[in-house]
Amino acid sequence: MKLLPLLPIAALVAAAPTPSADLAQVQRHLQALTTMTAAFTQTDRAGKSLTGTLTLKQPGRIRFQYQKGVPILLVADGGALTYIDYSVKQVQRWPVKNSPLGVLLDPQRDIGRYARVLPTGNDRVVSIEANDPKHPEYGRITLVFARQDGAPAGLAMQGWVALDSQGNRTTVRLSGQRFGEAVGDNAFRWNDPRKSGVRR
């Protein structure tokens, strides 16, 4: 499948409003997306970047496997999002729905109730901003898609900008996206550093 070149997240700035039909297309994309793998570049508010591989499987599973030498892992197993720091043997868990990534991992949610289309000035780019106004502590996420024939519902996710309740901004850019390939559930297991030899 021919892939579009990576589009800059900066394509968010712009002109005329995107038609509301784009929001329905994003909803169809999230419902049609069974699996996705991609390379990612993650940049924090200080400008520090990390790279790695993303694996997503609906519903509710995602894994951020960071570059060699980075002792952290972020995994969602269908219900909880788990952050593991192997350097200090620390594990933190919280419900996926309580994080900005919740919009990606629950395709049955009606995004029309908590998301809006952002103008991009490029008819090949669709961007939405999602947040739960009743729970500002869950943060906010801006998703960017490129129109692409052959991708789920005609959209290919290019990345996102997540803003947590403390104002920490994280930008993720994707490349080499592949859709619908077989991904086993064991891809979302992880080694618990607090229990030597135990896999979760």
Side-chain angles (χ1 to χ4, degrees), residues 67-196:
Q67 65 200 57
K68 187 175 180 180
V70 176
I72 59 175
L73 181 66
L74 186 62
V75 181
D77 59 7
L81 190 64
T82 304
Y83 175 85
I84 308 107
D85 187 334
Y86 289 102
S87 65
V88 293
K89 297 185 178 181
Q90 184 179 60
V91 176
Q92 299 177 25
R93 288 170 66 83
W94 58 94
V96 169
K97 65 180 182 179
N98 294 1
S99 81
L101 288 176
V103 66
L104 290 180
L105 300 177
D106 185 357
Q108 300 311 312
R109 290 173 69 182
D110 178 7
I111 64 172
R113 301 179 63 181
Y114 58 89
R116 66 188 182 98
V117 175
L118 298 179
T120 67
N122 183 341
D123 62 7
R124 298 291 301 167
V125 177
V126 177
S127 179
I128 68 164
E129 180 184 72
N131 70 294
D132 186 341
K134 295 181 180 179
H135 295 280
E137 70 275 15
Y138 293 173
R140 180 184 305 268
I141 190 167
T142 300
L143 300 168
V144 181
F145 302 86
R147 300 189 195 279
Q148 179 177 314
D149 293 339
L155 294 177
M157 193 181 305
Q158 300 295 296
W160 59 85
V161 179
L163 189 68
D164 69 18
S165 57
Q166 284 75 48
N168 296 310
R169 181 182 300 272
T170 303
T171 300
V172 173
R173 299 178 67 193
L174 305 179
S175 61
Q177 300 92 320
R178 294 183 178 277
F179 308 103
E181 296 185 343
V183 174
D185 289 345
N186 61 353
F188 307 96
R189 294 177 182 170
W190 48 278
N191 290 319
D192 192 334
R194 302 165 301 180
K195 301 176 183 179
S196 179

